[in-house]
Amino acid sequence: MKTIEDLEVTGKRVFVRADLNVPLSGATITDDGRIRAVAPTIAKLLARGARVVVASHLGRPKGEPDPQFSLAPVAVRLGEILGAPVAFATDTVGESAKATVAALGDGEVTLLENLRFNAGETSKDDAERGAFADELAALADLYVGDGFGAVHRKHASVYDLPARLPHAVGDLIATEVGVLKRLTEEVARPYVVVLGGSKVSDKVGVIDNLLGKADRILIGGGMAYTFLAALGHEVGISLLQKDQIPTVLEYLERGKANGVEFVIPVDVAISASFPDLKTKAPVEDFEVVDADAIPADKEGLDIGPKTRALFAEKIADAATVFWNGPVGVFEHPAFAEGTKAVAQALLESDAFTVVGGGDSAAAVRILGFDETKFGHISTGGGASLEYLEGKTLPGLAALEG
Ligand code: ADP
Ligand code: MG
């Protein structure tokens, strides 16, 4: 793969496919981690006199303009981070985009409106995607792929566009791939994997692949209840994916056979209902019970104190830790303790620590941890997971050669 240093960028229009898919509350960016992550690549190109055209998706609009998914607030924040004005095009490949790009001087930058306001971006039809990629290609001379969070998508701007322009990999993707190699090929042991989040089905492939690589797999979050149910415990009204129980049982078996230790919660924090994440109203019936004593009418929403200590102990001597998925509903303070404890355990270990997953990365920041103290905080949840599953990622394949 070529890096941006290999490109002759001065005076050239350089298309940077970034992942600026940040969480928004109205027009307010609640976590700007992804913007900050790609800013150095853009700054480097600007310093070399490139005319930078940044593009990204945001949320899941349905192939047409939808103001709630506008990148306008991101343009403002990107400008603040770069310390330079960012011209915002109010469409992606239309009149505004053409005019804004044409007006760029050397060392100036524009952000195009949401790629997914165009049906061609995500189309399953090669011709439709290709036609949109042609329109994008007309706006640039060179392509830099740096939207790590989107490299697992076979989308026009990720997969088809680099085939149409001389291309290179941006610094963010280069770093991410280097980290992923340390989690798959050049692993320092003991290697501990902490998995949480809401659904087992999201993480099944990762467990499958890491069962051959990790020494310990710690299971928290909503997926823990499918593990507990597989072990025959009552899980009340907790998140449960019954159809995944056979898979989970097979993993537990394979773990035994491969000498991979599964660590399942021994106690959990429960309530009769899912907490209100908007008002963050106190949880009146908050209670901690052993994991084999969840009442039928209660929902498990975090790991309990015994599990926090157990997880910390299992992380303490690690040389490599990969963590994906909050171990509780951290968005509510009553159920954030488990996620805090995991973050703290990572910081206290001497391991190379990697946090993957959009919500996990946001959790680290929202809960007040210093992100620079972690080995690496990945910007791409799905992309990291698919890489760890052993899959070929279209956006990386497109940057080869
Ligand atoms: P990531 O984006 O880091 O990959 P996921 O998207 O898989 O993480 O999961 C994050 C979500 O999982 C959070 O919104 C959190 O509230 C939720 N979650 C964690 N524990 C539970 C639980 N016990 N029950 C329901 N949801 C949970
Ligand atoms: Mg998520």
Side-chain angles (χ1 to χ4, degrees), residues 2 4 27 64 86 97-98 113 115 120 172 174 180 232 235 264-265 296 307 310 322 367 373 377 395 401:
K2 286 204 177 85
I4 51 178
E64 57 185 60
V86 174
K98 285 177 190 148
E113 184 54 287
L115 287 158
L172 175 61
L180 287 164
V235 297
I264 316 289
T307 308
L310 175 66
F322 171 63
L367 297 176
K373 297 279 192 301
I377 298 195

Side-chain angles (χ1 to χ4, degrees), residues 93-104:
V93 290
E95 291 314 312
S96 174
K98 285 177 190 148
T100 318
V101 172
L104 282 178

Side-chain angles (χ1 to χ4, degrees), residues 119-135 153-157 159-161 163-164 394:
E121 169 68 359
T122 60
S123 175
K124 298 252 185 298
D125 179 58
D126 290 351
E128 192 184 5
R129 259 196 350 268
F132 181 55
D134 286 339
E135 291 187 273
R153 306 284 187 204
K154 196 177 171 185
H155 290 168
S157 66
Y159 179 74
D160 305 271
L161 183 56
R164 287 162 166 76

Side-chain angles (χ1 to χ4, degrees), residues 152 202 205-206 209 382-394 396:
H152 58 313
D202 288 350
V206 182
N209 205 32
S384 314
L385 290 180
E386 290 199 17
Y387 187 101
L388 294 173
E389 285 172 27
K391 288 190 184 154
T392 299
L393 307 184
L396 293 184

Side-chain angles (χ1 to χ4, degrees), residues 304-329:
K306 285 191 256 182
T307 308
R308 298 203 293 265
L310 175 66
F311 278 19
E313 178 198 318
K314 297 291 179 186
I315 290 167
D317 68 341
T320 305
V321 184
F322 171 63
W323 173 29
N324 173 273
V327 296
V329 182

Side-chain angles (χ1 to χ4, degrees), residues 241-262:
Q241 284 186 286
K242 274 207 179 110
D243 58 324
Q244 296 291 331
I245 288 179
T247 311
V248 162
L249 285 171
E250 194 264 315
Y251 288 163
L252 292 170
E253 277 305 308
R254 206 159 8 122
K256 263 188 209 141
N258 293 359
V260 180
E261 184 189 3
F262 273 99

Side-chain angles (χ1 to χ4, degrees), residues 69-134:
F69 298 116
S70 173
L71 278 165
V74 175
V76 175
R77 186 74 191 108
L78 178 61
E80 288 165 4
I81 292 168
L82 291 171
V86 174
F88 182 64
T90 55
D91 56 31
T92 323
V93 290
E95 291 314 312
S96 174
K98 285 177 190 148
T100 318
V101 172
L104 282 178
D106 295 357
E108 291 181 354
V109 54
T110 177
L111 174 65
L112 304 179
E113 184 54 287
N114 198 336
L115 287 158
R116 292 190 190 167
F117 284 1
N118 308 270
E121 169 68 359
T122 60
S123 175
K124 298 252 185 298
D125 179 58
D126 290 351
E128 192 184 5
R129 259 196 350 268
F132 181 55
D134 286 339

